[in-house]
Amino acid sequence: MVSINENYLNLQGSYLFSTIAKKVREYQEKNPQNLIIRLGIGDVTQPLAPVIVEALHKAVAQMGTSEGFHGYGPEQGYEFLRSAIAVEDYQARGCDISPEEIFVSDGAKCDVGNIQEIFGIDNRVAVCDPVYPVYVDTNVMAGRSGRYNTETGGFENLIYMPCTRENGFAPELPKEVPDMIYLCFPNNPTGAAIQKDALQEWVDYANRHGSVILYDAAYEAYITEENVPHSIYECSGAKGCAIEMHSFSKNAGFTGLRLGYTVVPKELSVSGVKLHDLWNRRHGTKYNGAPYIVQRAGEAVYSPEGKAQLKEQVAYYMENARLIREGLLAAGFTAFGGVNAPYIWLQTPAHMTSWEFFDQLLSRAQVVGTPGSGFGASGEGYFRLTAFGTRENTLEALERIRGF
Ligand code: PLP
């Protein structure tokens, strides 16, 4: 008789954002007259930059001609995009990454979720707490997590690295050595960044112990401070221990277009096997390449006009971040993040739980954020606001929160 993958039964609750959407829908049905402002999900709101739209139009027109038509492309991505990424995102920063080490995909979420497939099922996995839920859930689905412990609020086989106010939201090197280590900087949800010397310590730790770091750099474009690395490959020895994932969603507004990439250095081996070969095989077998027109739009991100237009777009969101952060601090909240990341991580007032604060903020101010506890046990008592709203909505939300 057919059986199911029982690991799925170990998954906890429904996905955080579906729960939020349900609560918001129910509130709106009961209170149709109230205008809700959403600073919850990390989706962008600005339209695509003109240079991207132009590249899309051009690529669509090409596809309508017999000379310019593109069918199945290389699964790893077109050379024009892989080269632009290698040169602009890496070589320009002094990182020795070649186009062949880059795998283009339809976004970081899939890569971040799929990458664990090339690792053994018995590997010990370390994640930050709070954490972007995809790292945990995909390891649960694979059967690497063990059972969920309701007392600790975590899975028994995962190694949780608390990121709290006390340690500046920076995970400490785990005493129990993990095999796979998920790191995300600038961080979702806390908005914390990591200094280069601190990241170097992680790279040295991984090399010392034979661990692999899975580095999610989805928010790299939001770094404003010097000495905060844009890539883990800025650290020496990282090519021997790290895989890096990037997204075009937040630096260029591709949340709807879909584009991302993963870097697997050729020198990264486990037990004599190159992870590059495994990922190449996996990618070629299960993925048929990002759309040609979207890859052309991705190429435009790296043109001089693209860089200028997107710098402005990111600056727009970062101005929102500054307004939220400073507005909250002025209103007496304790808030973190928002300097190198589009996320503000605030402490809930009056010892409210994260979900209590969510409900209060929704019913009294009609502002939607994300409860910190949805990202892990150490997120309890915190709340995430995003800077991805429009300026108008951001200012209006702040006004309402001040009143609240
Ligand atoms: N990684 C992190 C940390 C994220 O917060 C997100 C999206 O919010 C992603 C990856 C997914 O990015 P993409 O839109 O490229 O799938």
Side-chain angles (χ1 to χ4, degrees):
M1 188 169 121
V2 67
S3 63
I4 57 158
N5 177 351
E6 293 198 5
N7 298 323
Y8 277 62
L9 306 180
N10 250 342
L11 290 165
Q12 288 309 296
S14 58
Y15 189 59
L16 173 63
F17 295 107
S18 358
T19 314
I20 294 174
K22 185 164 167 272
K23 278 180 175 265
V24 173
R25 202 170 45 245
E26 283 167 6
Y27 176 83
Q28 191 76 93
E29 274 163 19
K30 283 193 204 128
N31 305 276
Q33 73 289 356
N34 290 348
L35 179 70
I36 292 174
I37 299 180
R38 289 162 210 268
L39 299 183
I41 299 183
D43 198 357
V44 295
T45 49
Q46 293 290 296
L48 290 172
V51 73
I52 309 290
V53 176
E54 203 181 306
L56 285 168
H57 277 306
K58 211 166 134 196
V60 169
Q62 268 188 331
M63 290 286 277
T65 65
S66 38
E67 316 77 58
F69 172 75
H70 286 74
Y72 289 126
E75 290 99 348
Q76 298 80 358
Y78 284 100
E79 177 57 30
F80 62 78
L81 181 57
R82 296 173 92 194
S83 289
I85 293 168
V87 171
E88 298 291 337
D89 283 347
Y90 293 102
Q91 292 160 16
R93 293 197 176 111
C95 306
D96 176 26
I97 296 292
S98 69
E100 298 74 45
E101 293 173 306
I102 290 160
F103 294 85
V104 174
S105 72
D106 60 358
K109 187 177 189 178
C110 311
D111 288 354
V112 157
N114 292 327
I115 196 74
Q116 47 76 31
E117 279 187 30
I118 63 170
F119 293 93
I121 208 69
D122 295 328
N123 282 340
R124 294 300 307 274
V125 177
V127 292
C128 289
D129 174 18
V131 66
Y132 177 54
V134 177
Y135 315 146
V136 171
D137 285 357
T138 51
N139 277 289
V140 174
M141 291 170 177
R144 230 174 255 114
S145 65
R147 290 199 174 284
Y148 187 72
N149 181 332
T150 44
E151 265 167 45
T152 59
F155 287 91
E156 58 192 10
N157 291 350
L158 297 186
I159 299 169
Y160 290 93
M161 305 182 290
C163 297
T164 59
R165 190 179 173 177
E166 289 67 40
N167 61 19
F169 304 101
E172 283 149 35
L173 299 172
K175 292 194 180 56
E176 184 187 352
V177 177
D179 302 300
M180 296 150 65
I181 304 168
Y182 287 84
L183 292 180
C184 170
F185 289 106
N187 189 262
N188 176 15
T190 66
I194 193 166
Q195 299 279 311
K196 187 164 170 194
D197 49 359
L199 188 56
Q200 184 66 56
E201 279 184 33
W202 279 98
V203 169
D204 295 343
Y205 173 93
N207 277 326
R208 214 164 44 241
H209 295 292
S211 317
V212 172
I213 298 176
L214 304 166
Y215 195 73
D216 186 340
Y219 297 97
E220 164 275 313
Y222 290 83
I223 293 171
T224 60
E225 290 183 322
E226 292 283 315
N227 219 20
V228 174
H230 289 252
S231 161
I232 196 166
Y233 303 116
E234 288 177 39
C235 297
S236 65
K239 282 177 72 180
C241 68
I243 290 175
E244 181 166 286
M245 272 82 51
H246 271 253
S247 167
F248 284 71
S249 287
K250 312 298 162 79
N251 64 330
F254 278 43
T255 52
L257 272 187
R258 311 302 307 141
L259 196 65
Y261 67 85
T262 287
V263 181
V264 189
K266 287 197 172 159
E267 66 187 68
L268 176 52
S269 300
V270 172
S271 310
V273 178
K274 285 180 187 297
L275 294 188
H276 183 277
D277 293 346
L278 296 191
W279 185 246
N280 193 31
R281 189 61 210 265
R282 193 248 168 235
H283 208 66
T285 303
K286 293 195 177 181
Y287 189 63
N288 243 346
Y292 170 73
I293 57 174
V294 179
Q295 293 194 55
R296 278 293 182 202
E299 182 189 28
V301 167
Y302 297 100
S303 66
E305 302 82 359
K307 283 187 203 167
Q309 290 173 15
L310 296 170
K311 200 169 155 199
E312 247 177 63
Q313 213 170 68
V314 168
Y316 176 93
Y317 293 130
M318 283 311 278
E319 176 61 6
N320 284 350
R322 188 189 67 78
L323 288 167
I324 299 175
R325 181 187 160 91
E326 292 181 3
L328 288 173
L329 293 175
F333 283 89
T334 304
F336 306 91
V339 175
N340 292 298
Y343 295 119
I344 289 87
W345 190 239
L346 65 99
Q347 235 166 343
T348 58
H351 302 291
M352 273 188 239
T353 67
S354 302
W355 278 109
E356 277 166 3
F357 187 66
F358 174 92
D359 290 334
Q360 292 275 327
L361 204 60
L362 175 60
S363 62
R364 289 171 50 196
Q366 291 80 50
V367 173
V368 177
T370 313
S373 56
F375 297 101
S378 297
E380 183 56 278
Y382 288 91
F383 198 75
R384 192 192 76 175
L385 290 176
T386 89
F388 288 125
T390 60
R391 180 67 38 79
E392 196 189 356
N393 277 351
T394 302
L395 289 170
E396 170 65 21
L398 270 176
E399 204 49 47
R400 293 186 193 178
I401 293 173
R402 266 190 219 114
F404 169 87

